[in-house]
Amino acid sequence: MNAIVIEKNGGPEVLKLADVPKPTPKAGEALVKLEATGVNFIDCYFRSGLYKAPGFPFTPGNEGAGTVEAVGEGVTNVKPGDRVAYAMAMGSYAQYAVVPAWRLVPVPADVSLRDAAALMLQGMTAHYLVESTFPLQRDQTALIHAGAGGVGLLLTQLAKAKGATVITTVSSAEKAALSKSAGADHVINYTETDFAPEVKRLTEGKGAHVVYDGVGRTTADGTLDSLRVRGYFVSFGSASGLVPSIDPQVLNAKGGLFLTRPSLAHYAQTPEEVAWRAGAILHAVRNGTLKVRVEREYPLADAVRAHEDLESRKTSGKLLLMP
Ligand code: NDP
């Protein structure tokens, strides 16, 4: 089968198309014939070495949707022929992947496998951020960085569905329009405007109850200055680089702030939790309250270009590889 293989850390050019043996599911696993594979920043982190690879060579990719082709011993939740989707199992930049069966969720007949692949990782992330990490309430204000990004567009819609006021940051007028159309109440172009004073102005000097910050290095200081007393700094990603260390005394000086650095892995711990989050996201897509925006589809062989595009900061929404 065709798969992308990484033999050493580096730039997008280390993503090589290779012919590798089709994997066989072991006990508890299912073999999935992938129709679409999501491209995520976490794939760039494993590729570059920011996150430690499982060993070399390895096939990247943590999200996909397709049809179950075979199951290993003891698997009862899925069977060959089932349409399924998943996130957080490495190896989806390929025509086939073996996946722990408990991570698979059924894809309803009226949701395309393409949309399901586009939703699993970023959608479940948006879900845990607003439901669990900082359960957002109506009458609260959230600041969401990179509001026109893959997570940003979904997170904005879920935050608005909860009745919160949403402020986003973006880097261009085109992205501002997209963020607005996802429901953002206020959009700040943070390449032109210092966002922290603007957030304070928009909140009558108080600041946001929570900042969902997936940008990291370049926004961290401003994030701390955008929060109200006892606000939550939810640092969930590093698109611009790692957040420098934060002295707890800074959290005191800026108002008894809370800081957390969550990952979907911490919020998708059991089959029940995965079913809850994925089910809620798929339900929201089916009833029209959540729109998924696929920015571009690439053949598997163009994984290099997909990574270049994601890291270039030009994309809005989801990038998919079509194996
Ligand atoms: P996006 O589509 O949001 O792309 C990243 C965006 O970050 C860019 O479009 C850009 O938006 C902004 N950005 C700001 N500075 C930079 C920079 N120097 N280089 C690149 N991008 C920059 O990606 P995703 O939706 O896939 O991921 C968003 C973040 O969420 C990532 O940090 C990712 O790691 C994190 N994440 C975390 C998860 C978790 O569970 N913790 C799970 C999923 C994603 P703009 O041009 O508007 O500034």
Side-chain angles (χ1 to χ4, degrees):
M1 69 165 185
N2 286 332
I4 297 294
V5 172
I6 295 181
E7 292 192 330
K8 58 177 193 314
N9 289 131
E13 70 284 353
V14 301
L15 299 163
K16 305 278 192 211
L17 186 68
D19 186 14
V20 304
K22 192 164 139 183
T24 310
K26 297 199 230 12
E29 293 178 338
L31 176 69
V32 181
K33 183 177 193 302
L34 292 163
E35 182 165 317
T37 285
V39 177
N40 291 285
F41 248 93
I42 192 171
D43 309 337
C44 305
Y45 303 154
F46 278 112
R47 188 209 71 220
S48 69
L50 191 69
Y51 286 2
K52 196 170 165 359
F56 295 97
F58 73 99
T59 292
N62 289 278
E63 173 179 50
T67 309
V68 174
E69 189 162 288
V71 295
E73 207 185 302
V75 172
T76 54
N77 63 318
V78 292
K79 59 182 186 319
D82 286 356
R83 299 166 81 245
V84 292
Y86 69 94
M88 302 305 275
M90 182 85 95
S92 62
Y93 286 16
Q95 289 180 303
Y96 293 85
V98 283
V99 182
W102 71 269
R103 291 200 176 274
L104 295 171
V105 295
V107 178
D110 56 355
V111 176
S112 69
L113 289 173
R114 167 186 177 274
D115 282 359
L119 273 168
M120 282 298 110
L121 201 147
Q122 294 172 340
M124 285 202 281
T125 297
H127 186 269
Y128 85 70
L129 290 173
V130 295
E131 293 291 343
S132 306
T133 308
F134 182 86
L136 195 58
Q137 311 288 322
R138 151 181 315 277
D139 302 330
Q140 290 184 327
T141 299
L143 171 63
I144 297 172
H145 288 307
V151 175
L153 288 170
L154 298 170
L155 187 53
T156 300
Q157 293 175 74
L158 295 189
K160 282 311 296 173
K162 293 185 81 71
T165 298
V166 174
I167 305 171
T168 63
T169 56
V170 297
S171 67
S172 70
E174 296 74 30
K175 289 188 174 190
L178 279 168
S179 179
K180 268 266 170 204
S181 67
D185 299 283
H186 309 280
V187 183
I188 303 169
N189 183 331
Y190 55 1
T191 60
E192 294 170 350
T193 303
D194 192 1
F195 68 83
E198 185 60 9
V199 171
K200 284 281 169 79
R201 188 186 71 77
L202 291 167
T203 53
E204 290 158 356
K206 293 199 180 88
H209 294 83
V210 57
V211 182
Y212 297 111
D213 186 343
V215 171
R217 190 177 61 78
T218 57
T219 45
D221 286 344
T223 289
L224 289 165
D225 289 334
S226 301
L227 286 162
R228 68 178 55 203
V229 170
R230 302 203 304 253
Y232 273 70
F233 180 168
V234 179
S235 170
F236 71 96
S238 319
S240 69
L242 292 173
V243 176
S245 300
I246 294 173
D247 181 343
Q249 181 52 30
V250 171
L251 303 177
N252 173 15
K254 295 198 186 275
L257 305 180
F258 295 83
L259 168 64
T260 181
R261 186 15 180 131
S263 157
L264 176 57
H266 309 130
Y267 288 88
Q269 294 258 301
T270 61
E272 293 74 25
E273 201 170 25
V274 169
W276 169 44
R277 299 198 193 284
I281 293 299
L282 289 167
H283 180 71
V285 166
R286 294 172 79 195
N287 72 19
T289 52
L290 186 65
K291 304 259 184 302
V292 54
R293 180 174 195 277
V294 175
E295 158 105 17
R296 215 166 299 164
E297 295 174 16
Y298 306 76
L300 186 61
D302 283 352
V304 171
R305 200 152 55 86
H307 274 218
E308 284 169 354
D309 289 350
L310 184 63
E311 290 177 304
S312 74
R313 209 174 163 173
K314 290 192 198 105
T315 62
S316 301
K318 190 72 200 177
L319 308 186
L320 290 175
L321 298 176
M322 309 305 279

